[in-house]
Amino acid sequence: MDSYPALFLDLNVLPDPPLLLTPKIEPKIEPLETPSPTTPLNPNPNTSTSVDPDITPDEVSIYSDFLRLSQLFRAAYADRLDPSFPGEPPPLPLPPPPPSTPSSTALVDPSSKAPKKPPRSAEMVRVSSMTPRDGLYFRAVVRRARASYEALRLLLVRLDAREDTSVWGFGRRNRADLKAAALMADRGLWLNRDRRIIGPIPGVHVGDVFFFRMELCVIGLHGQVQAGIDYVPANRAQGGEPIATSIIVSGGYEDDEDSGDVLVYTGHGGKERNNCRQAVDQKLESGNLALERSMHYGIEVRVIRGFKSERSPTGKVYVYDGLYRIVDYWLAVGKSGFNVYKYRLVRIPDQPEMGSLALRFAEEMRSDPVKARPLGGLMSLDISNGLENFPVLLFNDIDDDQTPMLFEYAVRPVYPPFMVQQLGGGCDCVGGCSEKGCLCAVRNGGEFAYDSSGVLMKGRPMVFECGRFCRCPMSCPNRVSQKGVKHRLEVFRSRETGWGVRSLDVIRAGEFVCEFTGLILTRQQAEIVAMNGDSLVYPDRFPQRWVELGDVLQVLPINGCQSSALVTMPLAPDFSIDVSTMRNVACYFSHSNNPNIMVQFVLFDHYDLMYPHVMLFAMENVPPLTELSIDYGVGDGGEGL
């Protein structure tokens, strides 16, 4: 094995105790600045400096560089965290404005020169461990980047549908997913471009799902738009040899063999265009050589799997399955008769369960929930008794508690007849609605709240759907949440949160999940009910998480990108929801200060701003069998009612 004088920089290296130099097994990192060999860097300033005669000048230089880089990183990282921060990540600073102020009708001013894309660094680092506080911070960073990307993409899709090419200046026939990523890159908003991270990406969890390849690039999980092997090329690697960082397995090569924990991966190149068959022999170069070098040095790689999905806007979903180690490679004759390189990868133990396994198990649950769980625990096939669009399962393999079956299931909130003012004034769009001329669109600021697939474009103080006073049909694109749940949900018993809820489907960011139902009470009625034990939900206590969904101004603080303000701003909801006798699946959502579900107020069957419907939408892409959580505004911990 070749010998190199340094390993990857570990972002968690501490200056005390001293770093132990071990035999070199990974590529070299060139020192950014070489201290004098005669003046070794002392890790403890309170002790005297002495030089071990057995330590060579080269080893002193290596150690000094490791120490300097780790101190620089920790100092920079400390500056980004507020010491008074109690538990939630601090807000990220807005990006700097463009060099010149664009006009109010242009998304990008052609006369202004966009900032250059930040160069991809050759410095390779590994993050070996993080505190819970670090995990919250980096999760928020990744979440913010993903939300910004999706907000830009949806904005560009909407402008493209309007054929308003003058607004964003790119011309039509360009993909919104590519344009959104390009805009973020031009403003330096891609993550992990200053360092090439080996191993896990901070803030990205095993099981996370993605719908666009460009989203993988934006967060630094996989940097190749088309190629399945992402690697640091030899001309940019410190050791002069390519090193692989991640691979995507999506059925593109006929010689792949995937059994989950063990994967036989076919190298890159030689494949027919738009076909999985090989056309020529593969060569041990570029990504193929990078995989071989990673095996040689024992370097792990990230594995992302791609699957076909009807719920994806691209027809495909990508799931991050964790870290694998390459244990063998060989040259073999493939099924098409050409030489291909094969790599055997084994999943590193003690990681969370693979997201691809959750996808497969959820698919079995959707087809036959009884057969998928032969060991029992399934208490009810539908606690809604057919009231919801899809059955709501009840699963408990912990104890005999059957609490969710003891309540009347309310698919809609129950309003006392004297409470809500049944005001008219719906739209007159006979046959169907369009954003031009629709009164409900005017109430939303001149646009529909949803895209063509029913995804909420951005959060609002109030969403006005077409409803009972409108003349448009139920197929109107501005009727979404009133149609009920569109995902298969399961209430399950949890050791951590008591009762919880999870979905058997992938839920896209902005998709409707369910409504919070029960008996609606006035403030005076709620005070009386609370005397006998508080089983009330207070809508005015839900934090305004809706501001985080679709806020493109976090990326482009440019006039004209957002719609105008609502014609009528709503007042604070002045009611409570009593769930002591009737409730629905929403009552079992657990509480979290970092939720994946948000509350959005919606009106459609009346226009009394004081009594809106409490609708729940996904804040991010939620993988199947992931617990759904909302922020009740009650502090740390807690669970569903």
Side-chain angles (χ1 to χ4, degrees):
M1 180 181 293
D2 296 338
S3 178
Y4 289 89
L7 313 181
F8 294 132
L9 169 65
D10 190 332
L11 300 187
N12 295 281
V13 170
L14 294 175
D16 192 13
L19 177 70
L20 297 178
L21 296 177
T22 58
K24 299 77 173 177
I25 59 172
E26 296 181 356
K28 173 185 178 183
I29 294 180
E30 292 292 343
L32 300 181
E33 179 178 323
T34 305
S36 172
T38 59
T39 310
L41 197 59
N42 183 15
N44 190 346
N46 297 323
T47 61
S48 60
T49 302
S50 60
V51 180
D52 189 332
D54 295 331
I55 298 179
T56 66
D58 287 341
E59 289 174 327
V60 171
S61 173
I62 295 166
Y63 171 71
S64 300
D65 186 57
F66 266 100
L67 179 58
R68 181 184 60 79
L69 289 175
S70 64
Q71 290 173 330
L72 287 174
F73 172 79
R74 297 185 72 84
Y77 178 64
D79 290 340
R80 297 182 67 183
L81 287 178
D82 183 356
S84 62
F85 163 58
E88 285 201 34
L92 295 180
L94 289 176
S100 60
T101 303
S103 64
S104 60
T105 59
L107 183 64
V108 177
D109 187 351
S111 64
S112 64
K113 186 177 180 181
K116 293 183 179 179
K117 297 180 182 180
R120 293 299 296 268
S121 171
E123 182 183 1
M124 293 181 288
V125 300
R126 178 186 287 115
V127 182
S128 61
S129 63
M130 290 190 298
T131 66
R133 179 188 176 97
D134 298 336
L136 282 174
Y137 173 77
F138 284 111
R139 185 64 173 176
V141 171
V142 170
R143 187 178 192 171
R144 183 76 59 87
R146 296 185 66 180
S148 299
Y149 171 80
E150 183 65 7
L152 275 175
R153 190 190 69 81
L154 289 175
L155 173 65
L156 293 169
V157 168
R158 166 164 286 183
L159 296 176
D160 194 23
R162 293 175 179 174
E163 301 186 8
D164 193 353
T165 58
S166 63
V167 176
W168 38 279
F170 281 96
R172 299 190 67 203
R173 310 173 69 89
N174 291 311
R175 287 168 44 184
D177 58 323
L178 301 180
K179 293 195 289 274
L183 287 172
M184 293 186 68
D186 288 339
R187 284 151 181 81
L189 298 177
W190 283 28
L191 302 182
N192 305 313
R193 290 186 68 87
D194 55 340
R195 291 181 175 92
R196 300 303 302 272
I197 295 182
I198 302 297
I201 300 293
V204 179
H205 295 172
V206 174
D208 282 351
V209 294
F210 309 86
F211 297 117
F212 299 92
R213 284 284 294 261
M214 290 308 304
E215 191 178 6
L216 302 176
C217 298
V218 167
I219 66 172
L221 186 62
H222 187 83
Q224 298 291 332
V225 178
Q226 292 182 326
I229 305 174
D230 188 18
Y231 64 99
V232 180
N235 62 351
R236 294 174 55 197
Q238 293 91 338
E241 295 183 281
I243 296 297
T245 58
S246 62
I247 62 172
I248 292 181
V249 187
S250 58
Y253 285 83
E254 61 182 349
D255 294 299
D256 286 348
E257 301 174 24
D258 191 356
S259 59
D261 288 338
V262 179
L263 167 66
V264 177
Y265 184 75
T266 305
H268 172 75
K271 187 170 68 73
E272 293 180 355
R273 184 177 180 86
N274 299 325
N275 196 317
C276 63
R277 293 176 56 84
Q278 288 292 130
V280 297
D281 293 337
Q282 290 184 350
K283 299 179 180 179
L284 191 62
E285 59 186 14
S286 60
N288 295 341
L289 179 59
L291 287 174
E292 186 275 332
R293 290 288 84 189
S294 292
M295 184 202 73
H296 178 76
Y297 295 115
I299 301 171
E300 68 274 24
V301 296
R302 299 182 293 271
V303 171
I304 302 107
R305 287 183 169 89
F307 301 92
K308 293 182 179 179
S309 173
E310 297 178 354
R311 293 189 173 272
S312 170
T314 61
K316 207 161 195 177
V317 60
Y318 299 93
V319 56
Y320 173 49
D321 270 346
L323 302 177
Y324 284 65
R325 201 174 298 279
I326 307 170
V327 298
D328 193 13
Y329 92 103
W330 64 94
L331 183 65
V333 178
K335 294 180 180 180
S336 297
F338 296 94
N339 290 333
V340 295
Y341 281 95
K342 293 189 174 184
Y343 303 84
R344 186 183 304 277
L345 292 87
V346 177
R347 194 169 190 261
I348 298 176
D350 300 325
Q351 297 184 82
E353 184 181 65
M354 291 187 296
S356 56
L357 289 181
L359 288 174
R360 295 189 180 99
F361 181 71
E363 184 176 356
E364 296 175 4
M365 286 287 298
R366 292 193 297 268
S367 59
D368 192 342
V370 177
K371 183 179 179 181
R373 285 175 169 152
L375 300 180
L378 192 61
M379 289 188 166
S380 174
L381 292 175
D382 186 12
I383 62 173
S384 77
N385 297 316
L387 295 177
E388 298 284 13
N389 296 332
F390 296 96
V392 180
L393 303 177
L394 178 64
F395 181 75
N396 183 357
D397 60 351
I398 297 178
D399 52 35
D400 296 328
D401 193 336
Q402 302 181 14
T403 300
M405 299 177 62
L406 305 179
F407 295 89
E408 178 183 353
Y409 195 95
V411 71
R412 293 290 186 195
V414 178
Y415 292 91
F418 64 86
M419 180 180 296
V420 178
Q421 301 180 27
Q422 302 291 341
L423 304 178
C427 68
D428 295 325
C429 305
V430 180
C433 292
S434 63
E435 292 183 343
K436 296 181 179 180
C438 177
L439 180 59
C440 298
V442 172
R443 291 190 176 107
N444 284 320
E447 60 188 13
F448 288 152
Y450 309 101
D451 69 359
S452 58
S453 59
V455 171
L456 185 65
M457 303 283 282
K458 61 175 177 283
R460 303 165 184 266
M462 185 76 71
V463 167
F464 293 88
E465 294 187 3
C466 296
R468 59 182 298 184
F469 300 108
C470 299
R471 302 182 65 183
C472 58
M474 284 299 294
S475 59
C476 172
N478 199 39
R479 296 174 182 259
V480 175
S481 64
Q482 60 190 274
K483 295 181 180 179
V485 300
K486 55 188 299 186
H487 300 286
R488 297 169 178 85
L489 302 176
E490 178 184 72
V491 179
F492 71 100
R493 190 68 168 161
S494 169
R495 298 186 187 277
E496 292 78 22
T497 59
W499 288 104
V501 181
R502 55 195 173 198
S503 171
L504 303 184
D505 302 312
V506 177
I507 304 178
R508 289 178 58 189
E511 277 194 314
F512 173 69
V513 180
C514 66
E515 182 175 3
F516 220 118
T517 71
L519 180 62
I520 306 301
L521 303 178
T522 63
R523 184 176 298 274
Q524 292 76 17
Q525 292 172 329
E527 292 175 355
I528 297 175
V529 172
M531 294 179 182
N532 298 322
D534 196 350
S535 58
L536 304 177
V537 176
Y538 301 90
D540 61 337
R541 295 182 183 178
F542 287 111
Q544 295 183 351
R545 293 281 184 175
W546 53 265
V547 300
E548 302 177 31
L549 181 70
D551 185 8
V552 73
L553 296 183
Q554 296 183 24
V555 181
L556 294 176
I558 300 175
N559 295 330
C561 294
Q562 296 282 66
S563 62
S564 59
L566 295 176
V567 175
T568 304
M569 296 301 292
L571 302 175
D574 190 27
F575 67 96
S576 299
I577 306 176
D578 182 9
V579 297
S580 61
T581 58
M582 59 177 61
R583 55 176 62 178
N584 72 333
V585 63
C587 293
Y588 303 103
F589 280 46
S590 60
H591 166 74
S592 174
N593 288 329
N594 189 29
N596 49 29
I597 303 296
M598 71 174 193
V599 171
Q600 172 68 69
F601 297 135
V602 178
L603 287 177
F604 61 87
D605 56 348
H606 64 83
Y607 296 100
D608 193 329
L609 298 176
M610 301 298 292
Y611 299 100
H613 290 267
V614 182
M615 301 298 191
L616 305 183
F617 288 80
M619 295 182 63
E620 58 187 31
N621 296 337
V622 183
L625 303 181
T626 298
E627 184 166 4
L628 307 180
S629 60
I630 58 179
D631 188 347
Y632 286 88
V634 296
D636 296 332
E639 60 182 79
L641 297 174

